[in-house]
Amino acid sequence: MDLTLLTDWLWILGLLGLGVTYFIWDRLRKLPPGNEVMRGLAAQIQSGALAFARRVGVVLAAFVVAAAILLFFAAGFRTAGAFVGGALCAMLAAFSGLFAAVRANVRTAEAARYPGLPAGLRTAFSGGAVAGLAVASLAVLGTGLLFFMGIRRPGVYEEIRFREFAEIVSGFAMGASSIALFARVGGGIFSKAADMGADLVGKTETGIPEDDARNPATIADLVGDCAGDTAGMGADLFESCVAAVIATIAVGMTEATLGGYENRIAAVSLPLFAIAVGLIASIAGVYILRHLKPERPAQALRTVQLASAALFLLIMLGVVYALGFDMADEATGRVYGYFGPFWALLAGSVAGVAVGAVTAAFTGPAAARRIAEASATGPAANVLAGISAGFQSSVPALLVVCAAVGVSYAVSGLYGIAVAAVGMLATVGITVTVHAFGPIADNAGGIVQLGHLGPDARRVTETLHTAGKESGSVITAFSICSAALTAIALYAAYASWVGLEGINLIDPVVVIGFLIGGVIPFAVAALTITSVTKAAGAVMAEVRRQFTDTPGIMEGTVAPDSARTVDVATRYALREMIAPGVLAVAAPVAVGAGLGVEALGGMLAGATVTGVLLALFMANAGSAWDMAKQQIEMSLAGGGRGTDAHRAAIVGDTIGDPFKDTAGPSMNILIKLMSLVSLALVPWLLSLPINRGAGSRQVLDPENMEAMRQAVSAFFG
């Protein structure tokens, strides 16, 4: 039997996955939601989260319509339609995480109160599973339907139709990336503005503890956990998974080592089989947790991830064998092994585990303790120690990526690099599940504190939250490194589509593009951090106003106006998330149309290098600061709450929040979005006069270039 014939029907697995997701959701919502006070707190969080989602949804819908109209004229109806489909799937992925979090938080709090840790772990994990399996199922459903409607139509076996299909699916990934960037940036701005407002005014100025009912920003902070850490990450990893699949399809349709039709259809089918098998492995992982000992939640979460990855690789060994690859490089005469794509999948999976180990080494308890001890001498020492940890962590993490690129290229050429990215992201269902677990546990801890449910319940939620934080920092770094592999594959596809044999770094136009690309991640980081600062300032002003105008709030006789604080954070998040998204979409258009396709290639390369390094530095430094503060608050280092070390750690954590949850994660979406925009617009770019004939190398007239050289020589004597 020809296994590729089954590729047409893989989208059905996506529907089945959504069915399993609903089953878990239905069981979750039937769990007891606690007493009247707990239900009231949960209702406030839910109301704020849904209000944020509605307003963001309106803005995103307007953007999708406008972008689809422009894409229709630039790339055609089918690419524009795929863009809309990708955007809708990404929005569903984001909102599924949001809805799961606002339902699971209060049920986790109740489970932590009675019967305790095992029930709390399973409840929070079930909430995360709703988010994770929805993301994985939508990825299988969306890409599978595109394949079903596109590749099997009559006449598609010619080379030109392969290329057409790749251009269409790049539109789907572009839609997913656009929404992911807006959701990540918007959710991150909201989340960190509320968090900073609650911490700096509540803890530092008024001396009230975290998650205090008197703080007007407390509810907004808990809403931010749902909006930024759960919904934002859901859209982020959905986009990462889809982008990796589309990159593999794009390279598979153009890579010379794949030869004829049989190899190409197998190459296109492999990533779709991989995410379908990854969905099955993720579902298995969700149910494996029920049979693990819950006394050590962090270890249970790691075991589930490793078990899902092992099951995925075992099944994919059989899939690669059945697909029957026959790959050879005619230019060099090299013949790749029969199982070359499987070794690339394995390289990606192992790289993901290695990146996790590196991140844990630089953000885990040992590293956090060093930062906590440094905090005793003041905020400057805390900040410098965190910056050092971020810089150091970038080196081994990037070396892991280099190793994955080298191994995957050795076993399967450029196609292998794309397959390695799929290997990292195929079990995205369990990855998102584990990441969403942390914010849900954090929300549950807030409800326990606000509802005065006692130290035992608080101890359970603290244990769960610590496990979630450790896993969250690992997954953030993991998503950044997978973005690097995906961006390299997308870059190779772009170069093939526009006919670039290489990028000439002696060409001044290419150098201009390279430098422009290198500075774009810095510009986006500056925009996002400035946005968080503005939004946090507005939240802090609102919190101070309420404390000043209503003295009864501090006395506990008057409830704070939490809804107004949520509204302030939402307005700033909506306003400030536009500029980074527009820059990411507009930059490739401007460079490709103004300087040519070679300069655009240079821009993509420059953005990938600086974007990945910036993302690793900011994400890991932020996580290290966060863990150091927690070590001090748990009296494991630094002297405990209220000490000078604790006040210094609050400063470091405040700096780290926008680093790790807003600016850092936006980098991995940024570099992929620019590549996908470039791919989707290839037909339009090649139709421009600047890109015709000899290509963009002639964008600067040779006579003018010679005149420039003479002028420079004369200037320097």
Side-chain angles (χ1 to χ4, degrees):
M1 178 183 177
D2 183 0
L3 191 63
T4 60
L5 295 175
L6 296 178
T7 317
D8 285 1
W9 307 104
L10 289 178
W11 60 272
I12 296 176
L13 277 178
L15 289 177
L16 293 176
L18 289 176
V20 173
T21 304
Y22 179 78
F23 173 74
I24 297 173
W25 160 254
D26 189 54
R27 291 186 60 179
L28 176 68
R29 68 184 182 87
K30 290 178 180 177
L31 294 175
N35 58 37
E36 185 177 351
V37 174
M38 295 167 66
R39 292 195 300 272
L41 292 168
Q44 290 184 63
I45 298 170
Q46 183 177 343
S47 175
L50 296 182
F52 174 80
R54 279 194 298 269
R55 293 172 67 173
V56 169
V58 171
V59 174
L60 293 182
F63 167 79
V64 169
V65 171
I69 292 172
L70 294 174
L71 201 57
F72 169 76
F73 291 107
F77 172 75
R78 289 183 297 177
T79 302
F83 172 86
V84 173
L88 289 176
C89 285
M91 290 174 71
L92 287 173
F95 292 147
S96 64
L98 184 69
F99 297 146
V102 298
R103 297 287 185 182
N105 52 12
V106 68
R107 289 162 175 81
T108 301
E110 174 66 9
R113 187 173 64 142
Y114 179 80
L117 183 61
L121 172 65
R122 295 190 181 102
T123 304
F125 192 81
S126 294
V130 174
L133 296 183
V135 167
S137 300
L138 287 166
V140 174
L141 179 63
T143 54
L145 281 175
L146 280 175
F147 186 92
F148 177 72
M149 294 185 293
I151 200 67
R152 291 291 188 179
R153 293 303 178 209
V156 298
Y157 305 147
E158 299 130 11
E159 191 73 21
I160 186 68
R161 296 305 298 275
F162 271 122
R163 171 78 164 272
E164 259 178 44
F165 176 69
E167 290 170 358
I168 292 169
V169 295
S170 68
F172 183 87
M174 178 182 165
S177 293
S178 301
I179 296 304
L181 183 61
F182 282 120
R184 199 65 163 119
V185 171
I189 291 170
F190 180 101
S191 175
K192 297 306 108 183
D195 194 3
M196 290 169 66
D199 278 357
L200 294 180
V201 179
K203 290 182 181 179
T204 306
E205 295 183 9
T206 61
I208 60 178
E210 187 174 7
D211 294 331
D212 192 294
R214 294 170 293 176
N215 193 330
T218 294
I219 295 297
D221 187 13
L222 297 175
V223 170
D225 291 338
C226 303
D229 294 341
T230 308
M233 180 56 86
D236 184 348
L237 285 176
F238 171 81
E239 176 270 341
S240 294
C241 181
V242 167
V245 170
I246 269 59
T248 309
I249 289 174
V251 175
M253 289 180 172
T254 55
E255 173 63 5
T257 59
L258 292 167
Y261 167 74
E262 291 79 8
N263 262 349
R264 293 208 183 280
I265 198 68
V268 171
S269 300
L270 177 62
L272 298 172
F273 273 110
I275 60 171
V277 171
L279 172 60
I280 295 170
S282 296
I283 293 172
V286 169
Y287 287 95
I288 286 173
L289 183 83
R290 297 179 176 275
H291 303 285
L292 298 177
K293 294 181 180 180
E295 288 77 15
R296 300 177 65 184
Q299 184 176 343
L301 296 178
R302 285 193 296 271
T303 301
V304 165
Q305 289 178 282
L306 292 173
S308 297
L311 178 60
F312 161 74
L313 289 170
L314 182 63
I315 298 174
M316 285 307 298
L317 180 63
V319 170
V320 171
Y321 175 79
L323 287 173
F325 284 90
D326 182 19
M327 300 171 62
D329 190 340
E330 295 181 3
T332 62
R334 176 166 186 171
V335 177
Y336 295 101
Y338 192 79
F339 286 101
F342 174 76
W343 301 128
L345 285 171
L346 180 62
S349 295
V350 171
V353 174
V355 166
V358 168
T359 304
F362 287 96
T363 63
R369 191 172 297 111
R370 289 193 294 271
I371 298 173
E373 290 168 354
S375 303
T377 58
N382 172 280
V383 170
L384 290 173
I387 289 174
S388 175
F391 280 139
Q392 291 176 33
S393 68
S394 303
V395 178
L398 205 63
L399 290 177
V400 169
V401 174
C402 292
V405 170
V407 170
S408 55
Y409 182 80
V411 296
S412 291
L414 287 175
Y415 178 72
I417 298 174
V419 170
V422 174
M424 261 192 173
L425 289 160
T427 53
V428 66
I430 205 69
T431 303
V432 176
T433 296
V434 171
H435 190 276
F437 172 93
I440 290 171
D442 191 13
N443 253 223
I447 292 173
V448 166
Q449 182 78 6
L450 293 169
H452 305 289
L453 302 184
D456 291 340
R458 184 63 175 170
R459 197 174 301 114
V460 170
T461 56
E462 283 287 353
T463 302
L464 296 177
H465 184 213
T466 301
K469 273 191 175 182
E470 292 178 16
S471 301
S473 62
V474 168
I475 289 170
T476 299
F478 165 88
S479 67
I480 293 166
C481 292
S482 67
L485 289 175
T486 304
I488 293 169
L490 290 169
Y491 185 75
Y494 169 81
S496 175
W497 289 13
V498 299
L500 298 180
E501 296 181 0
I503 297 294
N504 182 9
L505 289 179
I506 302 177
D507 188 334
V509 179
V510 176
V511 173
I512 290 170
F514 187 80
L515 294 175
I516 291 173
V519 82
I520 287 175
F522 286 89
V524 170
L527 285 171
T528 51
I529 291 173
T530 300
S531 297
V532 171
T533 304
K534 289 180 181 177
V539 171
M540 292 167 64
E542 174 59 26
V543 173
R544 290 186 185 117
R545 185 196 64 77
Q546 291 196 33
F547 280 144
T548 302
D549 294 351
T550 314
I553 292 177
M554 282 298 294
E555 298 168 3
T557 57
V558 179
D561 189 353
S562 300
R564 182 171 175 81
T565 312
V566 170
D567 182 67
V568 169
T570 300
R571 281 191 282 110
Y572 271 84
L574 290 175
R575 188 176 72 188
E576 298 293 334
M577 75 179 187
I578 302 298
V582 170
L583 177 59
V585 174
V589 178
V591 172
L595 296 176
V597 292
E598 282 196 2
L600 179 53
M603 189 196 80
L604 297 178
T608 299
V609 172
T610 59
V612 171
L613 289 172
L614 259 182
L616 286 169
F617 160 67
M618 289 191 290
N620 290 342
S623 296
W625 277 315
D626 191 8
M627 289 296 293
K629 187 194 75 168
Q630 190 171 32
Q631 290 261 322
I632 294 172
E633 290 178 343
M634 296 175 69
S635 298
L636 298 177
R641 295 176 185 268
T643 61
D644 290 340
H646 186 224
R647 283 186 283 273
I650 291 174
V651 173
D653 183 46
T654 303
I655 296 171
D657 273 341
F659 270 41
K660 69 181 176 66
D661 291 326
T662 310
S666 67
M667 294 296 109
N668 61 33
I669 308 173
L670 172 72
I671 60 176
K672 289 177 292 182
L673 177 56
M674 290 198 299
S675 295
L676 289 165
V677 170
S678 303
L679 278 177
L681 295 179
V682 162
W684 175 71
L685 290 172
L686 293 180
S687 70
L688 300 175
I690 196 171
N691 293 317
R692 291 177 186 164
S696 60
R697 292 186 181 182
Q698 301 301 318
V699 66
L700 289 183
D701 184 76
E703 294 182 4
N704 291 338
M705 291 173 66
E706 183 60 30
M708 288 169 58
R709 292 191 190 98
Q710 292 177 3
V712 171
S713 299
F715 179 80
F716 288 103

